[in-house]
Amino acid sequence: MDIILKAVLGTLGAVILLFWFQYICRSSKKKAPQSEDSTSQMVPRIRVTEYLENGDSEALSALDMCEDILKDTPQFLGTIKFSVTYDAETSVLKVQVIEADRLPECDTIVITCDPYVKVSLLPERNQEFQTRVRKGTFHPKWMDIFYFDGLSIQKLQHQVLQLFVYDYDTISRDDPIGAVLLPFSEVTNLSNGQCKTFTKELKVAAPDCGDLQTIIWWSELEINVVVTKGRQLRIRGLKLKLDPYVKVTFLKEKKVISTHKTKIVKNTMNPNFNESFSCSAPVDRLNDYAVEIEVMHNSGIGKGDLVGRIVLADKDATGVSERNQWQKMVAFPGESIMQWHRLKQEIRVKGRKVLS
């Protein structure tokens, strides 16, 4: 019996020793340093948390985003007349859409136009209003009034009024005619309560598929990108809740270095991601690098649907805000640069990809 008991105790001790050895190995692997091209699910707590709490990203982004929305075109699209009045005591902005003039023909079958206007404030677009439809006219008069409340004068200075003219269609999707933007930072004496009237020429506007906020910084030979959140994400202009995720690709001289994905956020147009990714990059070669960020909808079929994309870079940036964020990262190493970006859509023209 003593021999059997000793054998059992010896076997049990060996098993315990084996489990202990495996535990030590696993612990050492978890503490091993990450590779040069690494992905971190935890946002650096001190740097990014402080910036999220203190950084005024709206002030940084509103005007830059406007540069990416309107497109120059040789075609004349008409004009729109409107007025704005701000009441400082009640913090209410009054917008009156007055009329439009010389709108283009939008229907190739029936030469007519049934225009209406969507009115919103960028960048949030939390409140959106719509005028009445005026049937069969290229010179519509609306005189419709809308009120945006809860706007301090400081906040209003970072807002941009967007008027988007559409041609109503009873069968197919409404045709976009053109848009105008009015940054309130460019309006003088706004707080004195006077009514200010504007007449602006309509321009072609890029499709609105939502915005994405990112944080980027360079330190210790690494480019660090944080995908924080999206806003008003939509596919082809439809207001449907999505299951979005973000694909982040680091490139060097247009060649892929590494690709990463965030988690999927279910059933929302305004997802929070807060995931960070990094890639090694020497300071003297920073402008050879770029970061492509694609917002995808997990449709459950194939690779999913592209909502929109941006490229953060110096040479190959997809817009003004993207290039500005990258250049600030290079100019201020170690500092976190937060920015909102208007997502761009890809359009194929004769088989080639063209950003809207």
Side-chain angles (χ1 to χ4, degrees):
M1 293 294 292
D2 292 339
I3 296 175
I4 296 174
L5 182 60
K6 288 179 180 179
V8 171
L9 291 175
T11 302
L12 182 61
V15 172
I16 293 173
L17 183 62
L18 179 61
F19 276 106
W20 178 80
F21 180 74
Q22 291 178 342
Y23 174 77
I24 293 296
C25 291
R26 289 174 182 172
S27 299
S28 63
K29 287 181 181 179
K30 289 180 180 178
K31 295 178 181 179
Q34 291 182 323
S35 61
E36 289 186 348
D37 296 327
S38 61
T39 301
S40 170
Q41 298 298 328
M42 297 300 293
V43 177
R45 193 169 293 177
I46 296 177
R47 180 189 305 276
V48 175
T49 300
E50 289 181 353
Y51 204 90
L52 284 170
E53 291 175 352
N54 301 322
D56 188 358
S57 64
E58 308 302 334
L60 293 172
S61 303
L63 292 180
D64 285 346
M65 289 173 63
C66 289
E67 295 290 333
D68 297 332
I69 295 173
L70 299 184
K71 309 295 180 182
D72 290 328
T73 175
Q75 181 185 4
F76 179 71
L77 301 175
T79 61
I80 187 167
K81 184 177 180 180
F82 61 96
S83 67
V84 296
T85 309
Y86 179 70
D87 189 333
E89 292 185 2
T90 60
S91 299
V92 172
L93 174 70
K94 173 185 172 182
V95 177
Q96 183 174 35
V97 182
I98 301 172
E99 61 183 354
D101 188 34
R102 293 173 289 168
L103 297 180
E105 299 173 3
C106 297
D107 198 323
T108 57
I109 300 176
V110 180
I111 301 177
T112 185
C113 188
D114 303 324
Y116 67 92
V117 184
K118 286 186 178 181
V119 184
S120 59
L121 287 180
L122 304 179
E124 293 97 339
R125 306 191 289 287
N126 290 334
Q127 302 178 70
E128 185 175 80
F129 302 100
Q130 180 176 316
T131 68
R132 292 165 288 177
V133 176
R134 294 303 189 192
K135 294 284 188 177
T137 177
F138 299 102
H139 313 277
K141 294 183 182 295
W142 290 287
M143 304 302 293
D144 290 348
I145 298 175
F146 307 102
Y147 296 93
F148 295 87
D149 53 12
L151 293 170
S152 65
I153 188 62
Q154 292 80 12
K155 183 175 182 179
L156 189 60
Q157 290 296 319
H158 303 320
Q159 304 290 304
V160 178
L161 178 66
Q162 177 178 263
L163 302 180
F164 209 130
V165 183
Y166 289 86
D167 177 32
Y168 176 77
D169 197 311
T170 55
I171 300 176
S172 61
R173 187 176 300 166
D174 298 345
D175 296 316
I177 296 176
V180 298
L181 298 175
L182 177 68
F184 284 105
S185 60
E186 299 177 0
V187 181
T188 59
N189 300 322
L190 190 61
S191 60
N192 61 12
Q194 292 182 356
C195 177
K196 297 180 178 296
T197 303
F198 303 86
T199 300
K200 288 181 171 288
E201 186 174 322
L202 293 168
K203 293 186 178 182
V204 173
D208 185 1
C209 49
D211 308 323
L212 185 71
Q213 187 188 67
T214 63
I215 301 173
I216 188 171
W217 74 94
W218 181 90
S219 66
E220 299 178 355
L221 301 180
E222 282 190 336
I223 298 172
N224 300 273
V225 176
V226 182
V227 180
T228 56
K229 56 186 175 180
R231 179 172 59 196
Q232 299 294 332
L233 301 183
R234 61 191 74 184
I235 293 179
R236 291 181 293 274
L238 301 177
K239 290 188 176 181
L240 301 175
K241 291 186 177 180
L242 309 177
D243 295 337
Y245 67 93
V246 179
K247 180 180 175 183
V248 178
T249 302
F250 291 95
L251 303 107
K252 180 182 179 182
E253 296 177 337
K254 300 184 179 181
K255 296 181 180 179
V256 174
I257 300 174
S258 60
T259 300
H260 316 280
K261 293 181 181 179
T262 69
K263 63 181 180 294
I264 298 171
V265 183
K266 297 281 189 178
N267 195 34
T268 181
M269 297 172 65
N270 303 287
N272 289 312
F273 299 105
N274 290 323
E275 296 189 38
S276 65
F277 309 94
S278 61
C279 166
S280 61
V283 65
D284 59 335
R285 299 293 301 275
L286 275 179
N287 287 335
D288 293 336
Y289 289 77
V291 183
E292 181 183 54
I293 303 176
E294 297 174 294
V295 179
M296 307 293 296
H297 166 53
N298 182 40
S299 60
I301 302 174
K303 297 181 180 179
D305 300 320
L306 178 67
V307 178
R309 68 188 283 270
I310 58 172
V311 175
L312 308 180
D314 182 38
K315 301 175 184 176
D316 301 319
T318 45
V320 174
S321 64
E322 293 91 313
R323 182 175 294 106
N324 284 353
Q325 188 181 26
W326 186 270
Q327 291 177 346
K328 289 175 185 177
M329 175 197 72
V330 175
F332 304 102
E335 292 192 20
S336 301
I337 310 300
M338 176 187 285
Q339 189 91 5
W340 278 103
H341 305 283
R342 173 64 65 96
L343 291 171
K344 279 74 177 177
Q345 290 182 335
E346 284 183 346
I347 302 173
R348 290 189 176 270
V349 179
K350 296 183 180 179
R352 297 182 59 187
K353 290 182 180 179
V354 180
L355 278 177
S356 63

